[in-house]
Amino acid sequence: MTAEYLSQRAEQHARLLASPDEDYMNEEQLEFFKGYLLDLKQRTMLHIDELKQQLSSPPELSDEVDRAQYEEESRLSLRIMDRERKLLPKIDQALTRIARREFGYCLETGEPIGLARLFIRPVSEYCADVKLLHEGAEKHFYDE
């Protein structure tokens, strides 16, 4: 990403954040997030392909330390690839919500998720309060 692209993105963020509350998820915001998600999907798929290529052609390593380091890096790459693979359906679901004009609203309460949260995690399905409740319930379930 170029500095100019990042600067334009920051200006667009600031402009969208300055929108009045009654303009929440207007056409400009929906188009912004659609482009953002499509870009994220493309970058994620490219990164997965890069990781697959790296893993499919391991280097010749005769030193045990180098081999151990390569194996650890491979494990890390596999974890990253798995996380990114799980992100792709979430991106598709968010794009579907945009098409239905349901994007940006909590699936449980129907309340706005908020632009600031969506900028950080554009695949968010829940507002921060509901997400905290879900995480608390998960923690309680695993602690028992």
Side-chain angles (χ1 to χ4, degrees):
M1 289 185 213
T2 66
E4 182 180 338
Y5 173 82
L6 293 174
S7 174
Q8 289 173 349
R9 183 72 90 185
E11 288 175 21
Q12 197 170 22
H13 280 199
R15 187 175 67 252
L16 293 177
L17 283 171
S19 299
D21 289 344
E22 59 270 8
D23 286 348
Y24 185 72
M25 283 303 123
N26 62 25
E27 202 60 44
E28 180 184 13
Q29 292 171 354
L30 289 172
E31 281 302 312
F32 170 83
F33 283 108
K34 180 179 179 181
Y36 187 80
L37 286 160
L38 289 170
D39 183 51
L40 177 61
K41 183 176 182 177
Q42 181 181 13
R43 286 185 288 125
T44 301
M45 290 188 315
L46 286 172
H47 192 238
I48 289 170
D49 286 342
E50 289 171 9
L51 290 172
K52 283 181 182 178
Q53 287 177 357
Q54 288 174 4
L55 291 169
S56 68
S57 54
E60 296 274 338
L61 300 170
S62 57
D63 184 335
E64 287 184 39
V65 174
D66 290 341
R67 188 171 22 256
Q69 181 177 352
Y70 175 76
E71 288 175 6
E72 184 59 31
E73 289 171 358
S74 295
R75 272 193 291 279
L76 181 59
S77 292
L78 286 169
R79 287 183 67 199
I80 291 169
M81 192 167 40
D82 186 52
R83 286 181 61 105
E84 290 184 347
R85 184 186 52 78
K86 290 176 182 176
L87 177 62
L88 291 173
K90 291 179 181 188
I91 293 170
D92 288 335
Q93 291 166 359
L95 289 167
T96 299
R97 288 193 304 278
I98 287 174
R100 293 180 180 160
R101 303 187 67 78
E102 299 168 356
F103 180 82
Y105 295 92
C106 180
L107 294 180
E108 198 164 304
T109 66
E111 294 295 316
I113 292 172
L115 291 175
R117 178 164 163 73
L118 291 168
F119 286 141
I120 294 168
R121 182 150 173 84
V123 296
S124 294
E125 298 175 320
Y126 302 102
C127 59
D129 292 340
V130 169
K131 186 63 176 168
L132 283 172
L133 287 173
H134 287 185
E135 289 172 355
E138 286 176 16
K139 183 180 182 330
H140 179 71
F141 176 77
Y142 289 114
D143 285 344
E144 291 182 347

